[in-house]
Amino acid sequence: MSTFQAPKGTYDLLPPNSATYLAVREAIAAPLRNSGYGYVETPGFENVELFARGVGESTDIVSKEMYAFETKGGDRLALRPEGTASVLRAALEGNLHKAGNLPVKLWYSGSYYRYERPQKGRYRHFSQVGAEAIGAEDPALDAELIILADDAYRSLGLRNFRILLNSLGDQECRPVYRAALQDFLRGLDLDEDTLRRAEINPLRVLDDKRDAVQQQLVGAPLLRDYLCDACKAYHEEVRELLNAEGVAYEDDPKLVRGLDYYTRTTFEFVHDGLGSQSAVGGGGRYDGLSEMIGGPALPSVGWALGVDRTVLALEAEGVTLDIPSATSVFAVPLGEEARRVLFRVVTELRRSGVATDFSYGGKGLSPPHDRGGRAGPGRGPGPAQGHGVRRPGGGPRRGGRRGRARAPGLTAGSTRYVRRRPDG
């Protein structure tokens, strides 16, 4: 037992479970790579103002959950609580929007940090795979990203998830709705903090999960009733494209998500088997974010899918991923001379692309009649002078001997050994 433990609200990924997380990340990334999205990686921390401007100072993420600190040089930094603002910052700094045709299509994978009350499905350190399409205003791009996420989940075997869809309007129609919503909220019995939030960004109040607040929101004006003609047409085209591709979704007029930068299309993937933490991913269009952080006008859309919650969704549905064995061959030397010979064989196999492991630490394999691995008087050259190569899942090769020992990371099953003398 170590003196130290993982910090509260965090977790370690260890074999064999870590293989499932890697498989989930790969399944989410695969359709993105196949659709022209390039990989981007950003620092684990950024300037605090990047998130304050982009995510929104009134959000819980910035006001309550962000890990912020000051460096010895006086810089105010924060561990990244989400990926979009960082990726857009990197794209602008790298002038990717000037390098070729738009949109700039990027995907990423990494760890993110929020100071939250830990519970199943909600951690202070969590993993996401995300995708961003920067610099184009096109309903087909919104539909593409939703379809790619849907394809990724279905490739993993998930079936019991739902896609919630809404439009948050734009700079023309949302101010009218904002004023109507603020008038409604001012007439409710809300606490001081919630009333303050209503004055800064009233849509955030709609995302409040407390029952006492939700009960008072019955009868609140809905944004869909205030959409301008352009936003209505845009949203209808997104819906038509999804319908044409057979992607099922549910219209949710109360869906606003938890970040201030969303405009027009917004969506969320939920899984009812996860209880209160039902959202496994989500995203939307953020046409004004680039200008918020000092860049040019770059209408964009993206999403982030939680790896942790996707794994929980798989468990809730009883889906077990088909994880291949870590190695195809496990080599066991039967003596010191054989160890040197077999080590060369193992190296050659690896260089040839065969996943191979080796029995290290001087632990060889002895036959049943000689557990000590030494040749006794009158026995002649014993098995300790040869070596064995074990292949999971097969029977004994000619001259081989079947054994039952299994190496960590290999699937259970029959095992075969190849025994040769060191000279041949």
Side-chain angles (χ1 to χ4, degrees), residues 359-388:
S359 179
Y360 293 100
K363 297 179 180 179
L365 180 71
S366 302
H369 65 276
D370 183 12
R371 292 294 181 188
R374 296 182 296 274
R379 293 179 183 171
Q385 294 173 296
H387 60 271

Side-chain angles (χ1 to χ4, degrees), residues 97-109:
H97 58 297
K98 300 178 181 179
N101 293 331
L102 297 176
V104 177
K105 300 169 78 173
L106 303 171
W107 77 274
Y108 54 94
S109 176

